DNA sequence: GTGAAAGCGCTAACAC
DNA sequence: GTGTTAGCGCTTTCAC
C-alpha cells in the first residue's frame, strides 16, 4: 500500500530541492549531468509517475475529451466511439464517455458536471428529448465559456460549432433512386418523428426523390415510429393495409423488424420485396437474408469528430470559424435487394 | 469567451477574502447571514462552478472510475458499461472508458496513464493478449498502490481482487443438459482457445456434462476459433466432416455464423439442428430464426461491478477482503431449440 | 548548477 | 464574523 511517489519525496530522499528534481526529470540543461542521472535513476527505480491532476491544474488542460451519446448499446454509436478513441489515443488524449440515455436532463447534468474543469472539450450527439424540446442552452453555455464542442450525427442548426454529419437527404435519395431504377415504385418508408433531425432529413430525401420522378407521395406508406414498443404493431398495420414492393428504413432495427414480418408472412425477399436499411451494423450483416444497407462510416465519423476537436484544442489563435464535415455514404448491396 | 469564475475573482469583486467566499458558498455558520447571501447571490448570478480538478487535487479523489474493456462494438460489453454508468451516476461518479482492443500493450498504457491521479479505481475485463501472455503485473501494480480494482468476465486467478463473473461451467452444463434431455447427443461446440478463461471454462462445462452422461468426447466436434477470420472456414469444415444434431457456441457471433451456414445448406433449424449461443444480444434477437441463448445479464454484471468498486472507494477501514460475485444465467428459448 | 518562491483553485486549521 | 496561512503536486521565473 505504498502511495504514489511525489517530487517532494524524491527531493527529500536525495537531499536536493523540488525544482531541481523537476528540472532533472525534464532533462533540463540547467542541471548537472551527475545530479540529473542520480535523480533519473532514483525516479525510475521507484517508478515515479507525475500526478496528472496536478499537471492539469497547472496547465489548465486535462488532455481528456468527453463524448456524450444518447445510447451505447447501438452499433453505430459504438463504432463512432471506436473511431474517436483511436485518434484520441494517438494524440495522447483520454476519452470519457457519458450516456444521456436519450434524456434531456441527463445530458444537461453530464455536460455541466464535466464542463467544470474535468475535460478540454466535448463531442456530442443530441438526445432525442433535447431535440424534441429544442433546448440547447447547456451546449451554448459551454461554448460561450470557450470550451470547444463538436457535434455529430444528431446535430442542430441552432448551435454554432463544428459538426460531422452524413448527407442524409442525398443518401436516402440514392437508395430511392436505386429502387426506382429497378422499377420498384411503391416504396414504404419507416422513419422517426420529424423532431429527430436525421429522421426528418431522410424523410425529406424520400419525398424529394419521388416527386422528382413524378411519383405521388402516399402518406400511408410513411410510418413514423415515435415509440419503439409500437414498432411491431405499426409495421404489422402497414403490411396489413398497404401494397408495396420495396421498403426503406432509417435504421437497421426497423429494417430487420420489417424483414422478419415479411418472412413470417411468406413474402419473398428480395423477389417480392426489396429492403434497404441505414447503419451497417451487425444486425444487417448477420440476418438471413443479409440486409442491404446505406453504410454511414461511423468509425470515420468518430475519427473526424475527434480530429476536429483536437485541432481546435491545439491551435494557438482561436478564430471563430466552424466547419461542417459531410461524410460520404455508400449503398451496400447484400441479399435484400435485387440487382 | 468568459473564462470560468474562481473564488479569487469573487473575493476580489466583493472585497472579502477567498476563504470567506469558500465558507459562504458552503453555507457555513461562521459567516454572517448578510455576507453569505451576498456571496451566494453573486455566485449564482455569474454561474460559479467549483473547479473539479482543484477539488481532486485537494481531496485526493477524483470521483471518476475507469473501465478498461477489450472491445466496445460488442453487445455484451456495451451492456456492462450501461450497467456501470447507471450505478456510477447515481453515486455521483463519472465513468472513463478505455478500449484495450484486445491488445496487451494498450491495456498497460491505458492503465498506467490513468493510474497516476486521474481516477479513483478500475473496472477491468482482460484483453485476449494479456490472458495469452499471462502477464498481469500492470494490474497487480495498481492494486499495490492501493487503488481498488474490480475485474469482470475475463478475470484471472493470479490477481487478488474483487471479481464479477458468471459460472461459465455451470451455465454451459445447463445448456448441454437441456439438449441431452431432448435426446440430442451429438453436440458440436464452437469455442475459443483455452487461454481465454471464459472459453476454457465453457469447454470444461461441455466435456464435464457429456462425461457425466457417459458420452464419449469427440474432439472433432470441438472447434476452437483462434482467429475470427477463419471462423467461416473452420465452421464449413465442421459441417463438411461431422454429423451432429445440436450446436453450442460460446458467443453470439459464432452462433449466428453457424446458423447461417446451416441455413445455406438447407439444414432445418431447429428440427434437424438445435443451436444455442451465449450472450443475449441483438444478433440473437433479430436473426431469423431467433437464436436461443444463455443470457449473461451483462447489465447486472456492470451494476454489481460498479457497486463493489464504489463500496471499496467509500468504506473507511480498508480490510483486505475480496469477494467474487457469481451472476446467475438463464437459458432463453427462442426459435433455434425445440422444446 | 541549485534552490526559493509564486501560483494553478480550492479547503481548513488557526488567528484575530 | 472574517482573514491568514499552509498545502494538495507540479512548473517556472528569478535569485544566488
Amino acid at each position: 500500500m505504498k502511495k504514489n511517489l511525489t517530487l517532494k519525496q524524491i527531493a527529500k530522499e536525495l537531499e536536493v530541492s523540488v525544482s531541481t528534481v523537476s528540472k532533472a526529470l525534464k532533462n533540463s540543461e540547467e542541471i548537472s549531468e551527475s545530479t540529473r542521472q542520480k535523480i533519473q535513476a532514483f525516479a525510475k527505480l521507484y517508478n515515479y509517475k507525475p500526478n496528472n491532476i496536478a499537471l492539469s491544474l497547472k496547465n489548465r488542460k486535462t488532455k481528456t475529451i468527453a463524448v456524450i451519446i444518447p445510447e451505447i448499446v447501438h452499433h453505430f454509436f459504438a463504432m463512432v466511439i471506436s473511431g474517436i478513441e483511436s485518434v484520441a489515443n494517438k494524440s495522447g488524449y483520454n476519452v470519457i464517455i457519458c450516456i444521456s440515455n436519450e434524456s434531456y436532463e441527463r445530458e444537461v447534468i453530464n455536460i455541466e458536471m464535466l464542463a467544470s474543469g474535468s475535460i478540454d472539450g466535448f463531442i456530442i450527439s443530441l438526445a432525442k428529448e433535447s431535440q424534441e424540446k429544442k433546448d440547447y442552452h447547456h451546449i451554448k453555455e459551454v461554448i460561450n465559456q470557450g470550451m470547444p464542442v463538436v457535434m455529430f450525427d444528431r446535430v442542430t442548426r441552432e448551435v454554432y460549432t463544428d459538426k460531422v454529419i452524413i448527407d442524409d437527404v442525398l443518401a436516402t435519395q440514392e437508395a430511392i433512386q436505386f429502387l426506382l431504377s429497378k422499377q420498384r415504385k411503391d416504396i414504404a418508408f419507416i422513419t422517426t418523428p420529424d423532431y429527430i433531425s436525421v429522421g426528418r432529413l431522410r424523410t425529406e430525401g424520400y419525398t424529394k426523390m419521388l416527386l422528382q420522378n413524378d411519383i405521388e407521395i402516399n402518406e400511408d406508406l410513411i410510418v413514423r415510429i415515435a415509440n419503439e414498443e409500437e414498432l411491431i404493431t405499426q409495421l404489422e398495420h402497414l403490411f396489413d393495409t398497404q401494397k408495396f414492393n420495396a421498403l426503406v428504413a432509417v435504421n437497421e432495427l426497423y429494417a430487420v423488424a420489417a424483414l422478419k414480418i415479411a418472412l413470417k408472412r411468406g413474402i419473398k425477399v428480395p423477389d417480392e420485396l426489396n429492403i434497404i436499411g441505414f447503419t451497417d451494423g451487425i444486425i444487417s450483416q448477420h440476418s438471413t437474408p443479409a440486409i442491404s444497407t446505406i453504410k454511414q462510416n461511423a468509425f470515420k465519423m468518430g475519427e473526424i469528430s475527434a480530429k476536429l476537436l483536437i485541432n481546435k484544442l491545439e491551435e494557438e489563435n482561436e478564430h471563430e470559424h466552424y466547419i461542417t464535415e459531410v461524410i460520404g455514404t455508400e449503398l451496400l448491396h447484400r441479399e435484400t435487394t435485387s440487382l
Side-chain angles (χ1 to χ4, degrees), chain A residues 172 175-176 179 187-191 206 221 246-251 254-255 274-278 294:
Chain A
T172 317
I176 302 294
L179 293 169
I187 308 175
F189 195 71
I190 320 300
T191 182
Y206 166 80
L221 280 176
L247 181 149
V248 175
V250 300
N251 62 46
Y254 297 176
N274 271 10
I275 298 182
I276 298 180
F278 262 87
I294 294 162

Side-chain angles (χ1 to χ4, degrees), chain A residues 129-193:
Chain A
E129 218 189 328
S130 310
Q131 293 199 308
E132 204 168 345
K133 280 192 154 135
K134 292 195 207 301
D135 185 344
Y136 311 111
H137 80 272
H138 51 304
I139 301 181
K140 290 179 188 160
E141 210 162 83
V142 293
I143 294 180
N144 269 336
Q145 275 172 32
M147 174 146 332
V149 171
V150 174
M151 302 184 77
F152 74 91
D153 198 54
R154 302 225 206 127
V155 304
T156 171
R157 223 175 263 191
E158 293 187 32
V159 176
Y160 289 105
T161 194
D162 287 329
K163 292 168 197 170
V164 184
I165 52 170
I166 68 167
D167 189 335
D168 287 287
V169 179
L170 187 65
T172 317
Q173 284 181 317
E174 284 173 4
I176 302 294
Q177 175 153 50
F178 167 81
L179 293 169
L180 294 178
S181 76
K182 299 295 169 190
Q183 311 307 323
R184 298 194 177 250
K185 304 201 165 151
D186 303 315
I187 308 175
F189 195 71
I190 320 300
T191 182
T192 67

Side-chain angles (χ1 to χ4, degrees), chain A residues 44-171:
Chain A
K44 186 150 195 186
L45 179 61
Y46 291 102
N47 191 26
Y48 168 76
K49 298 256 176 47
N51 179 313
N52 284 330
I53 293 291
L55 287 179
S56 299
L57 184 57
K58 187 77 189 161
N59 303 333
R60 273 86 167 309
K61 56 176 77 159
T62 61
K63 279 282 197 178
T64 105
I65 66 192
V67 184
I68 316 282
I69 49 173
E71 176 62 87
I72 195 169
V73 189
H74 195 305
H75 189 262
F76 173 75
F77 288 117
M79 284 297 277
V80 173
I81 291 190
S82 227
I84 294 174
E85 261 269 329
S86 110
V87 343
N89 281 157
K90 269 182 214 138
S91 320
Y93 280 82
N94 272 108
V95 178
I96 284 192
I97 297 173
C98 285
I99 304 169
S100 67
N101 220 341
E102 301 288 12
S103 141
Y104 166 78
E105 202 198 330
R106 287 226 53 78
E107 193 175 281
V108 174
I109 291 179
N110 278 324
I111 291 182
E112 287 190 346
M113 181 171 200
L114 293 170
S116 26
S118 317
I119 60 144
D120 296 343
F122 281 106
I123 297 180
I124 304 177
S125 188
L126 292 167
K128 264 187 200 163
E129 218 189 328
S130 310
Q131 293 199 308
E132 204 168 345
K133 280 192 154 135
K134 292 195 207 301
D135 185 344
Y136 311 111
H137 80 272
H138 51 304
I139 301 181
K140 290 179 188 160
E141 210 162 83
V142 293
I143 294 180
N144 269 336
Q145 275 172 32
M147 174 146 332
V149 171
V150 174
M151 302 184 77
F152 74 91
D153 198 54
R154 302 225 206 127
V155 304
T156 171
R157 223 175 263 191
E158 293 187 32
V159 176
Y160 289 105
T161 194
D162 287 329
K163 292 168 197 170
V164 184
I165 52 170
I166 68 167
D167 189 335
D168 287 287
V169 179
L170 187 65

Side-chain angles (χ1 to χ4, degrees), chain A residues 186-224:
Chain A
D186 303 315
I187 308 175
F189 195 71
I190 320 300
T191 182
T192 67
D194 280 347
Y195 57 77
I196 306 286
S197 55
V198 301
R200 181 183 63 247
L201 293 169
R202 291 171 192 175
T203 312
E204 188 183 322
Y206 166 80
T207 44
K208 260 196 185 160
M209 201 61 197
L210 290 187
L211 292 175
Q212 261 180 47
N213 284 270
D214 296 323
I215 298 173
E216 215 177 305
I217 308 296
N218 174 358
E219 274 295 333
D220 293 333
L221 280 176
I222 303 181
V223 181
R224 289 186 175 79

Side-chain angles (χ1 to χ4, degrees), chain A residues 227-278:
Chain A
N227 179 345
E228 302 220 330
E229 276 147 39
E230 282 159 27
L231 173 59
I232 303 300
T233 335
Q234 293 197 52
L235 286 177
E236 297 270 12
H237 180 254
L238 173 74
F239 276 88
D240 284 340
T241 57
Q242 304 294 319
K243 283 240 168 300
F244 48 95
N245 51 19
L247 181 149
V248 175
V250 300
N251 62 46
E252 57 175 1
L253 203 67
Y254 297 176
V256 75
L259 172 63
K260 221 161 176 177
I261 293 176
L263 256 28
K264 279 225 172 83
R265 296 182 177 222
I267 297 171
K268 293 228 163 60
V269 179
D271 297 348
E272 297 167 21
L273 177 65
N274 271 10
I275 298 182
I276 298 180
F278 262 87

